[in-house]
Each structure stands twice: as C-alpha cells, then as structure tokens.
Amino acid sequence: MRFFFEAYMNDGEATGERSVIERIAKSIGLSPEKIGIVLSSPNIDANIEADLQTAQEIGVTGVPLFVIDGKVALSGAQPREVFNKALERVLLQD
C-alpha cells in the first residue's frame, strides 16, 4: 500500500485510474496477467462495496487500517513487530 500512498500523496497521481494501478503493481513485481485478471473481474465492484460495508460496520474512521483475515485490525502506521504479532495471532487462531 505504501506505493499507492506515495503516488497519491507525494506525486498527486490518480491512484484509482487503471493505468496508474497497473504501473504501480508492475513496479513492485506483480504479474501483469494477474493484475489484468483482478482489474477485469466482474466482481471487483461488489468486492469493493463489501469492503466498504465491512469498514462502516466495524466503525473505521481513518486510514490506514489493516484487517488481517477478518480477525485482527491494526490502525495507523505500526512497527513491523506489531504486524508480526498480529499475523502470529491470526495463525494461532486457525
């Protein structure tokens, strides 16, 4: 996500535009084929709406917010150790 934040906040890019998304995704090593599949998915709008609905239901009021496997939420910028502990917690719950 950092790359999208930087593109938007630092460079003023329109990070909702497909060409910008594709360029950033490729720059971090994502497969152009997979990017195309995701962006062309007929379910993409429904998935985004579902994410927005979930965010509203759990009271998200700011960004960034990271929800891990629907079980743990981390708000704001967090150190790596916090993410590691959250991931371990989620893995132990399974």
Side-chain angles (χ1 to χ4, degrees):
M1 290 306 282
R2 179 188 92 193
F3 298 97
F4 287 95
F5 290 138
E6 287 177 2
Y8 179 75
M9 299 295 230
N10 295 345
D11 303 329
E13 295 192 63
T15 54
E17 297 291 327
R18 184 180 179 122
S19 62
V20 175
I21 294 169
E22 289 173 338
R23 183 181 51 72
I24 293 170
K26 288 176 189 173
S27 77
I28 60 173
L30 297 177
S31 156
E33 294 79 23
K34 289 182 181 178
I35 296 165
I37 290 169
V38 169
L39 294 178
S40 298
S41 168
N43 299 325
I44 194 166
D45 290 337
N47 291 341
I48 292 169
E49 286 300 321
D51 285 348
L52 291 171
Q53 179 68 34
T54 299
Q56 189 174 33
E57 288 171 4
I58 63 175
V60 174
T61 59
V63 292
L65 177 81
F66 303 92
V67 179
I68 303 170
D69 200 28
K71 299 174 183 170
V72 175
L74 300 173
S75 92
Q78 299 290 332
R80 180 181 305 181
E81 297 78 28
V82 172
F83 279 95
N84 287 343
K85 287 180 183 178
L87 291 168
E88 288 173 4
R89 200 165 104 203
V90 168
L91 289 172
L92 291 175
Q93 289 178 358
D94 290 337

